[in-house]
Structures are given as C-alpha cells and as structure tokens.
Amino acid sequence: MPAGMTLTPLALLVASNLFMTIAWYGHLKFTDTRLWIVILASWGIALIEYCFAVPANRIGYLHGWSAGQLKIAQEIITLLVFAGFAVLVLGEQLGWRHVGAFACMVGAACFMFLGRN
C-alpha cells in the first residue's frame, strides 16, 4: 500500500457492506413478509450503510486512494461479505465458479493498486 494510505477506509467499507448485504438480501429469509415492508426495512438499513460508505470514500480519497482503488476495494469486500452471508444466513454452497470469480477480482485489484496512472 502506498505511503500515506490508511486502512480506515477498508474497515469502514467492511461495515458498510455488512449493512448493505443485509439490506439487499436479508429479506430473502422473510418471504412471507409483505414486499412494501421489506422495502422500507431495507431502506432503513441502507441509510446506516451510507453512514459508513460515504466516510470510507471521503477518508480514503483524502489519504491517497484513487476513486478506482476505492471502488475495486469495495467490490472485493462486497464479494467476501456476500459469500459469508450466502453460506451462513442463506445456507448456500460456494463452488469453483465463486473461487474463480473472486480470483479475477483480486487480479483486477492488483492492476488498480500498481502505480497511480
């Protein structure tokens, strides 16, 4: 990680993605609940997510992260958080395709963090 970059954006992005994953996919455990109720609940959870995401991006950008670096870091964190959620909450299994997709994202991150231009 280049000098001056802080890990604070990563911690905030992890928190942000935990809330966003719950907002987007948590309702799948409550299929008997009316759609308008889960939409409102999801909006409320997403508001909390924004309280982490906006500072993550602001702090990261002010400490030397480029917008592209912030975005690719967010996408990798999203995949990790979602994979855990899919397994632990939704009871889904991960396979070789998930590993391959994640490896491609890590490759993309390597390109984004090599130099500034």
Side-chain angles (χ1 to χ4, degrees):
M1 188 173 300
M5 293 179 99
T6 176
L7 295 178
T8 302
L10 293 177
L12 291 169
L13 286 172
V14 168
S16 165
N17 277 279
L18 288 169
F19 283 100
M20 201 60 185
T21 299
I22 293 168
W24 282 15
Y25 301 101
H27 64 88
L28 298 177
K29 294 294 282 186
F30 305 99
T31 56
D32 292 338
T33 304
R34 294 193 180 278
L35 185 56
W36 69 269
I37 293 173
V38 297
I39 289 171
L40 290 177
S42 292
W43 277 12
I45 296 167
L47 175 62
I48 299 167
E49 182 267 342
Y50 287 126
C51 292
F52 289 104
V54 172
N57 289 312
R58 174 72 61 96
I59 292 167
Y61 197 74
L62 292 175
H63 284 92
W65 294 63
S66 71
Q69 289 171 329
L70 287 163
K71 182 60 180 170
I72 199 69
Q74 186 271 333
E75 293 298 338
I76 291 172
I77 292 167
T78 295
L79 286 176
L80 287 171
V81 170
F82 179 77
F85 183 86
V87 170
L88 298 173
V89 177
L90 299 178
E92 297 184 4
Q93 294 182 346
L94 301 180
W96 67 269
R97 293 177 304 136
H98 299 92
V99 174
F102 185 72
C104 289
M105 291 295 291
V106 169
C110 290
F111 281 109
M112 288 303 297
F113 282 91
L114 291 174
R116 279 299 279 174
N117 295 329

